[in-house]
Amino acid sequence: MIKLLVGKPGEGKTKEMIAKANAALTQSKGNIIFIGESNESIIEIHHDIRYINISEFPISSSDELIAFLHGMISNNYDIEKIYLDGIFNLFITTPKELCKWLDKVKAMTDQHQIHVEVSISINDELPECLKPYLTA
């Protein structure tokens, strides 16, 4: 399952995502991963959540990010939830590319029964392909 947390830059998506990840610990039986673009949020993440600063890895495209996610899953079958904060800014440059990337993530989540939540900062109108994934 994929959920998107979409808004303009500076609207508090990171804080909301951190709160969701921390709250998920009470219900989750598997491992939770939080992937951010810096170490800025690491102190706010509960110590039982695996925090990954994606900028520490040599990833330069959305396809490499998918490969990275598959590598994590193949190494740890107990991953239940993955939170991706701000990746649109790092690896995905257009809404069209984001739609193609989400198709790949959906295939991965369906195959491995993993919940993925992604925060996206966007100033433009949302592409139609994103609307089914929006959080309430």
Side-chain angles (χ1 to χ4, degrees):
M1 174 193 338
I2 303 170
K3 287 188 178 179
L4 298 180
L5 181 59
V6 179
K8 294 183 191 284
E11 288 187 338
K13 292 175 300 303
T14 297
K15 289 201 180 295
E16 185 176 341
M17 185 167 278
I18 290 169
K20 286 182 178 189
N22 287 337
L25 277 176
T26 61
Q27 304 161 359
S28 181
K29 295 178 183 170
N31 295 330
I32 298 175
I33 311 292
F34 192 101
I35 300 175
E37 55 187 319
S38 70
N39 284 328
E40 188 175 311
S41 303
I42 196 167
I43 293 176
E44 298 174 54
I45 301 289
H46 191 278
H47 63 84
D48 287 335
I49 296 173
R50 172 71 166 106
Y51 185 86
I52 297 171
N53 176 351
I54 201 69
S55 68
E56 295 176 354
F57 296 88
I59 298 171
S60 60
S61 71
S62 60
D63 284 338
E64 289 177 0
L65 180 59
I66 289 288
F68 181 83
L69 294 174
H70 277 283
M72 281 189 341
I73 293 165
S74 70
N75 188 46
N76 182 351
Y77 290 107
D78 293 330
I79 294 174
E80 186 176 321
K81 297 182 181 196
I82 300 173
Y83 294 86
L84 296 162
D85 185 40
I87 57 94
F88 185 73
N89 301 333
L90 295 176
F91 306 113
I92 301 173
T93 57
T94 66
K96 183 178 180 180
E97 185 180 358
L98 178 60
C99 294
K100 289 170 63 177
W101 183 79
L102 281 173
D103 289 341
K104 294 175 185 177
V105 173
K106 178 155 180 18
M108 179 188 73
T109 62
D110 290 348
Q111 179 181 4
H112 299 287
Q113 302 300 304
I114 295 174
H115 172 91
V116 174
E117 189 157 332
V118 183
S119 73
I120 299 171
S121 293
I122 190 167
N123 288 315
D124 302 325
E125 188 174 326
L126 283 178
E128 214 40 54
C129 70
L130 300 185
K131 292 180 180 174
Y133 304 113
L134 294 177
T135 58

